[in-house]
């Protein structure tokens, strides 16, 4: 079985951009060789409420849902129209100053991008 190179970003919840404090809430994984782009996220309400009292979890969930839509190529309602998974990953990985921000791009190799996405989400997001 051939190893498939991939790139990923960890999605961070940054309730106060000025403080630069964050907690990981999701992962986006892109494997160009197989046109794979998907995201996984998990919101731990107890953890987020302790980290940022008053944070609107519905807004964070909505932002992460948009990320998942962009991965699938859903357009409209503020979502970009980008033809390829590579362009969509580039858009998702671009720095931004919102409550959900991507971290740096990392890479690796895998035999199963979907399984790797969930393994990264388990290791980097779920407590």
């Amino acid at each position: 079985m051939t190893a498939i190179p991939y790139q990923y970003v960890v999605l961070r919840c940054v309730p106060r951009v000025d403080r630069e404090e964050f907690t990981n809430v999701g992962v986006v994984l892109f494997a160009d060789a197989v046109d794979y782009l998907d995201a996984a996220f998990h919101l731990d309400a107890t953890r987020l409420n302790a980290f940022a009292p008053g944070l609107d979890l519905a807004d964070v969930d909505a932002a992460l849902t948009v990320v998942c839509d962009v991965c699938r190529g859903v357009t409209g309602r503020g979502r970009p129209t980008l033809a390829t998974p590579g362009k969509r990953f580039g858009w998702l990985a671009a720095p931004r100053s919102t409550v959900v921000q991507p971290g740096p791009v990392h890479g690796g190799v895998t035999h199963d991008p979907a399984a790797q996405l969930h393994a990264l989400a388990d290791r980097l997001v779920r407590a």
Side-chain angles (χ1 to χ4, degrees), residues 4-127:
I4 301 166
Y6 67 88
Q7 299 176 70
Y8 73 94
V9 294
V10 177
L11 300 173
R12 302 167 169 176
C13 178
V14 186
R16 287 192 45 201
V17 175
D18 59 320
R19 291 184 56 108
E20 297 186 17
E21 297 172 335
F22 62 87
T23 188
N24 296 341
V25 293
V27 177
V28 177
L29 188 139
F30 170 56
D32 188 37
V34 293
D35 280 338
Y36 180 88
L37 176 63
D38 202 359
F41 69 90
H42 173 73
L43 294 179
D44 182 331
T46 302
R47 183 177 183 195
L48 286 168
N49 285 325
F51 173 65
L55 176 67
D56 188 337
L57 295 180
D59 285 347
V60 177
D61 184 72
L64 291 165
T65 298
V66 168
V67 169
C68 292
D69 287 350
V70 171
C71 286
R72 291 189 306 270
V74 175
T75 61
R77 296 188 350 236
R79 290 152 179 82
T81 301
L82 300 165
T84 66
K87 289 182 180 182
R88 292 193 299 270
F89 179 74
W91 187 85
L92 291 167
R96 52 187 40 91
S97 292
T98 61
V99 71
V100 174
Q101 299 179 9
V105 176
H106 301 281
V109 293
T110 186
H111 296 291
D112 184 344
Q116 186 66 41
L117 170 64
H118 293 289
L120 287 167
D122 285 344
R123 184 165 45 99
L124 302 173
V125 177
R126 292 181 179 91

